[in-house]
Amino acid sequence: MGRVRSALVRPWVIGVLAVVVAGAGFGLYWFQPWKLWQDETVREALPDAAARPTATAPPSGASPAPAPAGPQALASGELISHEHTTTGTVKLLRLSDGSHVVRLERLDTSNGPDLRVWLTDAPVKEGRAGWHVFDDGEHVSLGKLKGNKGSQNYAVPEGVDVSRFSSVSIWCDRFDVSFGAAHLARA
């Protein structure tokens, strides 16, 4: 009787162990908990700052050419925390070539799986009420978050009417939740 019971229990135990290992593997992939202890700092220069040509002396008798205009701030705001503690400043800039960039300055947030920078039309709400509102209306993904700390730039795709958007969210696409967001107050 002992051998029969042993023979029947072994496949069951192996099956349970296989399910546990598969579940643990999937959970690690899905949640990526190690990212909570990994920081990535990005320090990008302000757009246009490196692209400005150096002034050259004009030909004799000619007046100097005006220097090209640098980035113009159209709107800005301070990040507030949602799912994770998040701080920093967000600026919507128009570059001298007419393109637009969202700039995150002094960003400090948690790292996480599949974080994105979204330009949205949703209102920024404090606390849990603001965690899930940014995918309810119109939004444009500006790309993956380059780092969870530092200053970084995100190009707004050509043809996007930036006047239709009023906020920026650090959005976790995997769990559909905002880590933090900023209302863009027009300059």
Side-chain angles (χ1 to χ4, degrees):
M1 187 71 164
R3 284 186 189 185
V4 174
R5 180 181 290 158
S6 176
L8 293 175
V9 170
R10 260 191 211 143
W12 182 80
V13 170
I14 291 171
V16 168
L17 285 175
V19 168
V20 167
V21 168
F26 177 77
L28 286 172
Y29 164 76
W30 191 252
F31 289 99
Q32 299 176 0
W34 56 87
K35 286 195 171 188
L36 291 173
W37 295 280
Q38 293 177 332
D39 288 331
E40 188 163 345
T41 302
V42 175
R43 292 186 179 95
E44 289 184 327
L46 185 66
D48 274 1
R52 288 187 192 155
T54 56
T56 57
S60 61
S63 61
Q72 177 187 6
L74 301 178
S76 64
E78 293 295 319
L79 287 162
I80 65 166
S81 299
H82 282 144
E83 172 71 21
H84 293 265
T85 302
T86 302
T87 60
T89 303
V90 177
K91 293 181 180 177
L92 175 61
L93 304 171
R94 180 175 32 237
L95 304 181
S96 57
D97 65 1
S99 64
H100 294 92
V101 168
V102 169
R103 179 163 173 82
L104 305 178
E105 293 182 337
R106 299 178 324 278
L107 173 66
D108 189 357
T109 191
S110 298
N111 205 341
D114 206 15
L115 295 180
R116 310 281 175 158
V117 177
W118 278 12
L119 187 60
T120 78
D121 65 353
V124 176
K125 298 178 183 178
E126 296 273 347
R128 287 184 150 249
W131 287 17
H132 302 283
V133 300
F134 298 101
D135 59 349
D136 293 344
E138 190 175 354
H139 61 274
V140 175
S141 178
L142 304 181
K144 286 187 172 265
L145 187 68
K146 298 172 185 176
N148 63 313
K149 296 186 181 300
S151 296
Q152 45 210 270
N153 307 307
Y154 295 87
V156 176
E158 195 173 315
V160 171
D161 181 3
V162 295
S163 67
R164 295 176 49 183
F165 299 97
S166 60
S167 60
V168 170
S169 173
I170 307 300
W171 184 258
C172 180
D173 219 18
R174 170 121 353 127
F175 295 105
D176 293 328
V177 67
S178 173
F179 274 34
H183 170 73
L184 294 173
R186 300 294 170 183

